[in-house]
């Protein structure tokens, strides 16, 4: 088979644009045609929105479509599906699961959420206690438990869910991974208000929720390996977003610096310059990370990227609030909202400052990511773990 080149893809994009001119085509129709032409995520297999092409060529496709004014599938709104559910389904799903879930996921017709964290099982995720018990007659699984901090659960149609299926095994071994229907009886979503005032995330109570065995992802008891695929992709998707030069959090603060000379001071100038350079280094490192991904699955480097992203976002948003002085302390809107996703640049400095606090917690706390970098990148001795071989039911909680 001849290798697919950027030129080959550009020709294909031009074909798509000719057959479905964005100006005369409904957004949803264009996106469907794009998926079916294999131009959604080019590294996915044919028939699943891709062409089995190198992942690095996606950028050429995106640039060509953007230049033509084609609609995108709003990755902000469907980030969990795109960044976490999709690569996990691709890696572990059956053919039926891939056919059923990937197309509506990419099109944004079905939003996904991630039912991982629980009260008492966040950083130590493998300690989770939500139970899934298999019914003898039907072979279905019955799930009971509570999840927490579930972003987008209020808009989600599906969830990736990990649950304990064998409490007699050590904590990493008795876990199984499921695809959970958020509309199933027994799923209750309650908003949790954040420091920003809005409720991006929720508590989710699962009471006797029935999940057919066909919605199990991977083998029974092997959910931890599946979850690790999700978590590694999560870090890359949080820390490795493609942003233009002077884009993201540095953009509004750089703009305020240029437009408002009265706010400037020498000390702030020095800090702004340092952070601008760091933001640029992080952007280019993210680019290199994406290129490395072409060669394989995300590795622990994604944790380093996510750490940097969290630290920089917090430092830059703090500088912005300081630069704007009293004005930076004014909060734009405290009404309770349930947004579709995070909008870092669509609101005021105060929002950015408060929302950035969550960056060092969501997707794995910075302390945990430092542990991962220490152990898996630097090869330092692991943290002592005395609960690795104990049955989950015998752990102290
Ligand atoms: C905005 C936001 C969105 C989120 N969205 C989701 C979601 O959609 N789905 C989902 O499942 N979860 C979600 N989470 C949850 C998030 O993944 C957890 O909050 C996170 O993993 C930390 O777990 P925890 O809150 O239980 O804290 P804990 O694990 O209790 O940690 C408390 C503190 O102790 C530190 N700590 C714990 N263990 C160690 C250790 N071994 N070494 C050093 N320090 C340690 C932690 O770093 C932290 O500072 C979200 C969180 C936020 C803030």
């Amino acid at each position: 088979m001849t290798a697919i080149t950027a030129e080959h893809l550009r020709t294909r994009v031009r074909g798509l644009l000719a057959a479905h001119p964005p100006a005369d085509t409904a957004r949803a129709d264009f996106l469907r045609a794009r998926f079916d032409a294999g131009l959604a995520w080019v590294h996915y297999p044919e028939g699943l929105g891709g062409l089995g092409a190198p992942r690095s060529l996606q950028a050429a496709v995106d640039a060509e479509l953007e230049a033509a004014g084609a609609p995108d599938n709003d990755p902000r709104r469907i980030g969990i599906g795109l960044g976490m559910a999709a690569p996990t389904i691709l890696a572990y799903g059956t053919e039926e699961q891939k056919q059923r879930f990937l197309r509506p996921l990419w099109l944004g017709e079905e939003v996904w959420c991630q039912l991982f964290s629980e009260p008492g099982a966040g950083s130590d995720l493998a300690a989770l206690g939500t139970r899934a018990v298999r019914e003898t007659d039907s072979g279905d699984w019955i799930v009971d438990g509570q999840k927490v901090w579930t972003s987008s659960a209020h808009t989600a149609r599906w969830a990736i869910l990990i649950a304990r299926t064998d409490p007699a095994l050590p904590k990493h071994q008795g876990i199984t991974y499921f695809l959970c229907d958020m509309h199933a009886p027994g799923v209750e979503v309650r908003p949790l208000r954040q420091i920003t005032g809005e409720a991006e995330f929720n508590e989710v109570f699962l009471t006797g929720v029935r999940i057919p065995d066909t919605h199990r992802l991977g083998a029974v008891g092997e959910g931890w390996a599946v979850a690790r695929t999700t978590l590694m992709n999560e870090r890359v998707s949080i820390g490795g977003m493609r942003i233009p030069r002077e884009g993201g959090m540095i953009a509004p603060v750089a703009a305020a610096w240029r437009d408002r000379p009265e706010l400037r001071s020498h000390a702030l100038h020095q800090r702004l310059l340092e952070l601008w350079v760091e933001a640029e280094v992080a952007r280019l490192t993210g680019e290199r990370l994406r290129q490395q991904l072409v060669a394989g699955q995300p590795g622990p480097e994604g944790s380093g990227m996510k750490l940097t992203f969290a630290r920089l976002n917090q430092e830059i948003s703090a500088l912005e609030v300081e630069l704007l002085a009293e004005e930076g302390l004014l909060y734009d809107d405290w009404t309770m909202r349930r947004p579709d996703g995070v909008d870092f640049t669509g609101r005021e400095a105060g929002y950015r400052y408060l929302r950035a606090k969550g960056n060092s917690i969501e997707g794995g706390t910075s302390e945990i990511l430092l542990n991962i970098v220490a152990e898996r990148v630097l090869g330092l001795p692991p943290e002592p773990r005395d609960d690795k071989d104990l049955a989950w039911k015998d752990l102290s909680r």
Side-chain angles (χ1 to χ4, degrees):
M1 197 182 90
T2 45
I4 295 174
T5 61
E7 204 34 56
H8 171 102
L9 289 177
R10 281 195 197 98
T11 310
R12 234 179 144 93
V13 170
R14 285 194 280 273
L16 170 73
L17 290 166
H20 306 273
D24 308 324
T25 311
R27 179 175 184 277
D29 293 339
F30 185 87
L31 291 176
R32 268 183 225 113
R34 176 175 168 184
F35 187 95
D36 295 336
L39 297 168
W41 31 35
V42 295
H43 58 294
Y44 275 48
E46 277 189 56
L48 294 173
L51 296 165
R55 194 180 187 131
S56 55
L57 297 183
Q58 185 69 45
V61 170
D62 292 347
E64 196 92 1
L65 287 172
E66 203 182 316
D72 74 15
N73 61 338
D74 193 356
R76 185 174 70 88
R77 198 173 68 82
I78 56 171
I80 293 177
L82 287 176
M84 282 101 99
T88 317
I89 293 172
L90 185 68
Y92 285 93
T94 60
E95 210 36 52
E96 289 72 32
Q97 288 169 338
K98 291 180 200 170
Q99 292 290 345
R100 162 64 187 85
F101 292 111
L102 291 174
R103 193 169 185 267
L105 182 159
W106 188 87
L107 292 169
E109 290 170 349
E110 291 180 343
V111 172
W112 285 71
C113 68
Q114 181 190 27
L115 293 172
F116 279 22
S117 304
E118 297 183 5
S123 299
D124 189 10
L125 183 58
L128 61 88
T130 289
R131 285 297 314 273
V133 177
R134 196 157 189 190
E135 216 176 46
T136 323
D137 297 348
S138 64
D140 291 350
W141 296 85
I142 307 298
V143 181
D144 286 279
Q146 186 198 337
K147 300 287 178 176
V148 75
W149 321 130
T150 317
S151 307
S152 306
H154 51 292
T155 51
R157 180 65 184 79
W158 291 95
I160 41 177
L161 162 78
I162 43 179
R164 186 154 306 281
T165 42
D166 191 345
L169 289 175
K171 62 180 181 179
H172 291 94
Q173 292 171 31
I175 293 173
T176 304
Y177 200 119
F178 299 97
L179 307 175
C180 173
D181 181 350
M182 291 297 285
H183 292 178
V187 177
E188 190 197 341
V189 177
R190 294 188 201 159
L192 271 183
R193 224 170 156 195
Q194 285 153 267
I195 193 173
T196 54
E198 54 190 15
E200 258 170 58
F201 54 34
N202 307 270
E203 296 180 291
V204 178
F205 295 84
L206 304 158
T207 314
V209 177
R210 182 174 290 275
I211 300 186
D213 194 50
T214 47
H215 288 174
R216 170 168 51 80
L217 196 61
V220 174
E222 285 177 19
W224 186 248
V226 187
R228 281 186 54 175
T229 300
T230 309
L231 296 174
M232 288 210 275
N233 279 288
E234 175 171 14
R235 279 146 205 173
V236 174
S237 92
I238 296 180
M241 276 172 294
R242 170 168 274 121
I243 41 175
R245 189 167 189 187
E246 206 179 286
M249 296 285 258
I250 199 75
V253 68
W257 182 268
R258 290 201 182 97
D259 301 344
R260 312 267 305 267
E262 76 282 5
L263 300 174
R264 296 176 192 165
S265 76
H266 177 69
L268 287 174
H269 188 223
Q270 290 307 106
R271 279 174 55 205
L272 176 62
L273 280 182
E274 274 168 29
L275 289 174
W276 194 96
V277 171
E278 279 198 63
E280 183 60 8
V281 170
R283 188 182 75 81
L284 294 172
T285 311
E287 199 53 52
R288 196 181 57 182
L289 187 70
R290 275 187 294 278
Q291 285 168 13
Q292 276 175 1
L293 275 179
V294 176
Q297 288 299 311
E301 303 83 2
S303 298
M305 227 15 243
K306 200 252 154 183
L307 264 170
T308 305
F309 161 83
R311 180 182 56 78
L312 267 179
N313 267 6
Q314 289 172 357
E315 288 182 13
I316 294 170
S317 59
L319 174 70
E320 188 184 11
V321 167
E322 240 182 286
L323 174 70
L324 296 173
E326 291 88 350
E327 190 187 319
L329 296 177
L330 292 175
Y331 200 59
D332 57 346
D333 188 355
W334 185 255
T335 8
M336 160 76 163
R337 309 178 198 197
R338 310 204 73 201
D340 275 355
V342 192
D343 182 11
F344 268 120
T345 45
R347 290 187 53 190
E348 298 295 315
Y351 170 80
R352 277 188 280 286
Y353 177 74
L354 293 177
R355 183 56 184 80
K357 299 291 169 209
N359 289 156
S360 52
I361 306 172
E362 60 195 322
T365 65
S366 292
E367 291 82 358
I368 295 296
L369 299 183
L370 283 169
N371 280 350
I372 292 176
V373 171
E375 291 175 23
R376 298 203 209 132
V377 181
L378 303 176
L380 296 176
E383 264 198 289
R385 292 182 183 105
D386 53 11
D387 60 356
K388 248 184 120 175
D389 302 316
L390 267 184
W392 176 83
K393 65 181 172 48
D394 298 330
L395 296 177
S396 51
R397 272 185 295 279

